[in-house]
Structures are given as structure tokens and as C-alpha cells.
Amino acid sequence: LVEIRPMPQTHEELRLNRYIALCGIASRRRADELIESGKVMVNGRKVYELGVRINPQTDRVTVQGKPIKQENAKIYILFNKPKNILTSMSDPTDRPTVGDFFKRVPYRVFPVGRLDWDSEGLLLLTNDGDFAYKISHPTSQVPKTYLVKVNGRPTDEQLERLKRGVSTAVGRVRALDVQRIRRGDSDNYDWLRIVIDEGRNRQVRRMFEKLGFDVMKLQRVGIGDLALGRIKKGEFRVLDPKEAQKALRSKIKYQ
């Protein structure tokens, strides 16, 4: 896990392992291992001492032969977005935004895709434009998994209808898969899991509205093979690049 803290003032020195971590290369512990193994150079000279301090503005640091800079680091963040938060880094009308949770992050990250104001769950943020494009573009067909609470009990036939496709205000859409996962304590609601590979405006809500049901709660819990896990609402963690790539893969092949 990469530690995220604000970059110190321009001419303040940093411990080398912390600087490597801030650049998104490795955790501090892993940075120490890289230093001890002679894979880190400062101004062209190998460094083995863990306590070495550097000035990010004037010293040139390479890890395994590659120069690193904070502004060049790719970072991938998994965030559990609460409801009633705008998926934007700022808002001219001063509504609460995702950006409010990342003011102390020393990277210019942006959301990958979006979650509606009244939806919650897994949201990725990054500064990697290629990665964001692959996740978001319809041609990538990356599956997104949601837990949905609806005000009633859809029949099995109605759920099959979602898999065949329904016409909505945003066009004809379908579910890759939809399963009932829990019955409510009364006939008033059901919990379902639905997987789609598009991201049209309020798509899941519109699909259930087509069947005559209102969505009472909508939580995204997966993108590709990347799962939300136990991250609490309003909290986030940094993914290493390999883990982030799970969002572009899916072990399950949908019909």
C-alpha cells in the first residue's frame, strides 16, 4: 500500500524511501529493499543507506535504471464513494464532491467514469489517461457489478427480461447477469446483483423502472475482477499497478 501525504515544500529534503513511495513506485518497506539491493541511484551513484535524504527539486533519482518524478508517477485509487456526493473533483455550486476526499493527495487524479449522486460504492481515480479510457469506453465491455435494493419482488421472468434487453430513455440496454441474492423481511423489497458492461446515465435505475420497480439503494461492488472489499464509505486505498489491472479483466464469461 502506497502511503499518500502532501509533498513537502519545494526545498525540503525527504528520506529517500519516502520519496520513492510518494512517486507511487513502492511502499516504504519495499523501497528500503530496493535501496539495500543497490537498485536505487541518486545523481548517478548507487545508494545503500536507508537514511539518505534527497531534495526532490534538485536530486535525480532512478529506480532500476528508470528516473522517477512525482509528476510522472501513475497512481490508481480505489474509493468507496458515499451517496449524495458528486462524482467530480470540484463543483461551482459548492455541492460535496469526490474531490473533497482527496485534497491532501499530492497527485492530480480524476474519477474513472461516474457514479450517480444517489449511488455509492466502488469508484476508481487515477492520473493514467490510457487506463481510464480502457475502463470507460463502451468498446472495452468491462463488466461492472452492482448490488441493488428494489421496492418489491421481481419475478424470475422479469429478471430474465433484463438479460434479454429492455428499451429505456437512454436506448436499449441489457444485463450480462442478474441474480436474486436476498429476500427482504417482507414483500416490500428484494436485494439483487446485476452485472452490466455499459455505463449509460442512470442505466441500472432505468432498467428496473422499466419493470415497474424503484431502486431504493444502488452500490457498485466490482469492476472487472476488482472488488470493493471491506473499504468503508468515504475511505480509499492505493492499488499497485498489477492490482489495478484486475479492473480490465473478468474471469467470468457472460452470454
Side-chain angles (χ1 to χ4, degrees), residues 59-79:
D59 292 323
R60 183 173 182 272
V61 179
T62 62
V63 177
Q64 295 179 311
K66 296 180 180 180
I68 63 170
K69 288 186 178 181
Q70 183 195 0
E71 59 266 27
N72 293 334
K74 300 296 187 203
I75 186 167
Y76 309 90
I77 297 174
L78 186 156
F79 176 54

Side-chain angles (χ1 to χ4, degrees), residues 176 249-255:
L176 297 180
R249 300 193 298 267
S250 178
K251 297 176 182 177
I252 301 174
K253 301 301 180 183
Y254 299 98
Q255 299 297 322

